[in-house]
Amino acid sequence: MSGKLSGMDTVTVRELQKNLKQALIRVQRGATLRVTRRRKVVAQIGPAQTVGATKPWPDLGARAERVFGKRVLKKGAADVILAGRGEW
């Protein structure tokens, strides 16, 4: 792209550095830009893909109850490590 991000789809690294704001506006509008260094394409910049709904977090409390039942664990791993270290 010679000169202020003309209508082409290819831009050099230097032009991208100088005109990043205009390049991002074009990408935001749906254009895909190929970035070249020494006439070789090194990157492609395009609009972000929309992400669908994420999965809900699992119910870890219910899972722990299924695994351990009603047992109450006396000490956790952090307590064991701290006890092994002694006094500071």
Side-chain angles (χ1 to χ4, degrees):
M1 273 189 191
S2 56
K4 297 261 182 176
L5 295 173
S6 60
M8 298 177 151
D9 292 342
T10 305
V11 63
T12 65
V13 172
R14 178 172 285 193
E15 289 172 336
L16 183 61
Q17 287 174 334
K18 288 183 178 182
N19 303 303
L20 181 61
K21 185 176 180 179
Q22 290 93 346
L24 291 178
I25 289 171
R26 287 188 60 202
V27 169
Q28 200 172 17
R29 291 180 181 162
T32 301
L33 301 177
R34 290 178 296 184
V35 182
T36 61
R37 177 184 288 149
R38 297 182 182 154
R39 297 184 183 150
K40 292 184 181 180
V41 177
V42 294
Q44 186 169 335
I45 302 173
Q49 296 176 351
T50 58
V51 179
T54 58
K55 292 187 223 175
W57 283 88
D59 185 2
L60 299 178
R63 182 176 178 188
E65 190 171 324
R66 280 195 313 266
V67 172
F68 298 111
K70 296 294 182 186
R71 290 184 299 169
V72 177
L73 300 177
K74 302 289 183 202
K75 290 187 177 184
D79 296 328
V80 173
I81 292 170
L82 289 175
R85 289 183 180 169
E87 292 293 322
W88 284 89

